[in-house]
Amino acid sequence: MNSVIAKHSQLLSTSLRGDFPILSETVHNGHPLAFLDNAASTQRPACVIDTISGVYERDYANVHRGIHTLSERSTELYERARESVRNFLNAKNVSECIFTQGTTASINTVARSWGDANLAAGDEILLTVMEHHSNLVPWQQLAERSGAVLKHIPLTDDGRLDMSSLDTLLSERTKLVAIVSVSNTLGTINPVKEIIEKAHAVGALVLVDAAQSVPHMPIDVQELDCDFLAFSGHKMCGPSGVGALYGKEALLEAMPPFLGGGSMINEVRLDSFTPAELPAKFEAGTPPIVPAIAMKAAIDYLTHIGLEKIHAHEQVLITEAYNRLQEVDGLTILGPGPSHRAGLVSFSFEKIHAHEFAQILNDSFGVAVRAGHHCTQPLHALLGITASTRASFYLYNTPEEVDRLVEGVHAVQKKFAPQGRKRKPRK
Ligand code: PMP
């Protein structure tokens, strides 16, 4: 693997591992931890952890409502966090950046608010078959309420979106296209910009589920021209319980608030209310104050390193992992080759259940991977499996950890299927 390090100047310095206290943990049987479960949730650098305790130690009070010093401080920090989300996404205005609980809450907000106000029976929502449950169920619920019809972009044989179907699937009946930008199971990087252009050409809006892309590559909402975009803080070195919904200002202005309660109002009478201005209109109740402030620390950390560099680093790791896992007899890798793939790889193996596979990787190699359907049950059903094992990389993962993953997979293969069969590599 030293040759991999030598070959690739894109690899980030391993010194940044020292920023993440948990990465020096040993796990089962004293193995050093190789944390390859980043698509589920990442780890946090000390600067994020220190921000959390620092706010609680020095600055914490509820935001917006107080006129005392601590409330002013926490409000300022909270609103600075919003500005950092705006800057990170290159949104035009802070009023377009709503703090939510995460990707799921962001998508549900659009389904409930925009969806209920705008969709009627016969209108169509176009999704893809590779969506996470978070970008399927809210639209299924909306379809039940409104009578709207769900359609799905199918896959090519190598796990990319079948773009040739788009012209038939899109029509003047399509009111919304909701697509994942990077599949959390296949790793596929989808041609989101092209889909947005085609959707806009028929008058449809586009929501991008960016849970797996915003943490790993530069995303510019103005350049993409998406109408809504959702992501989560915990997948980008920030805390859980916070994320954001980006929406174009004119759309958010026209949308009725979804959750009702404190903060989202301008005036309340006994029998009616007037909603607050953006972004408060969509932030009912006490928001995730400290998580939002700590998400800014995560954004600052990632921005300081550079999203291009993070992406390039992951590309080196995934290319190496993919190419070597392709060599393992009997292993089926889900999704396309490295040139269309982000930094994660899911695989299945006939002879052993994904859970057992993950257990061995953890117990014998200290490699933390995820096993199951990864909240993409329909996709797994389409692929004829119920579960897969997924390794997902982030900026702090190293070539040595790829080695350990591959070594572990080979060991499992030898134990359970000494005579498997090989698959043809994909580009
Ligand atoms: N979409 C995708 C593609 C995801 O990977 C995830 C998280 N696994 C989600 C949505 C949901 O994110 P959260 O649980 O943070 O709301």
Side-chain angles (χ1 to χ4, degrees), residues 280-326:
K281 182 168 86 168
F282 290 105
E283 293 183 4
T286 299
I289 301 167
V290 179
I293 296 168
M295 185 163 78
K296 174 185 185 298
I299 290 174
D300 290 347
Y301 180 79
L302 296 177
T303 312
H304 178 72
I305 291 166
L307 272 292
E308 288 94 354
K309 275 196 192 152
I310 292 170
H311 182 59
H313 173 81
E314 292 173 16
Q315 287 304 119
V316 172
L317 298 183
I318 192 63
T319 302
E320 182 73 9
Y322 180 91
N323 289 339
R324 292 170 65 192
L325 290 174
Q326 272 288 342

Side-chain angles (χ1 to χ4, degrees), residues 39-40 102-105 107 132 134 180 182-184 209 211-212 232 234-235:
T103 307
T104 306
I107 296 173
H132 187 282
S134 291
V180 70
V182 168
S183 161
N184 67 312
D209 172 350
Q212 300 292 348
S232 304
H234 69 99
K235 292 184 195 286

Side-chain angles (χ1 to χ4, degrees), residues 251-264:
L251 291 169
L252 293 175
E253 285 285 5
M255 283 159 52
F258 161 43
L259 289 178
S263 300
M264 52 69 73

Side-chain angles (χ1 to χ4, degrees), residues 49-113:
I49 299 167
D50 292 348
T51 299
I52 295 169
S53 50
V55 176
Y56 282 126
E57 278 166 19
R58 290 184 300 273
D59 305 312
Y60 183 79
N62 209 335
V63 289
H64 295 144
R65 287 189 273 271
I67 41 168
H68 55 80
T69 305
L70 290 187
S71 183
E72 279 169 6
R73 274 192 209 160
S74 61
T75 301
E76 193 183 329
L77 291 171
Y78 182 71
E79 290 306 324
R80 266 198 234 156
R82 195 188 308 281
E83 166 55 23
S84 91
V85 170
R86 187 208 63 72
N87 186 49
F88 191 50
L89 300 177
N90 192 31
K92 267 193 204 141
N93 204 317
V94 280
S95 59
E96 299 178 311
C97 301
I98 315 288
F99 282 120
T100 65
Q101 232 185 303
T103 307
T104 306
S106 298
I107 296 173
N108 275 276
T109 300
V110 177
R112 287 279 171 179
S113 171

Side-chain angles (χ1 to χ4, degrees), residues 350-371:
E350 269 170 34
K351 309 282 174 182
I352 173 175
H353 191 274
H355 284 140
E356 212 182 330
F357 209 129
Q359 192 78 58
I360 298 172
L361 290 177
N362 180 69
D363 294 357
S364 305
F365 296 89
V367 176
V369 294
R370 185 140 295 245

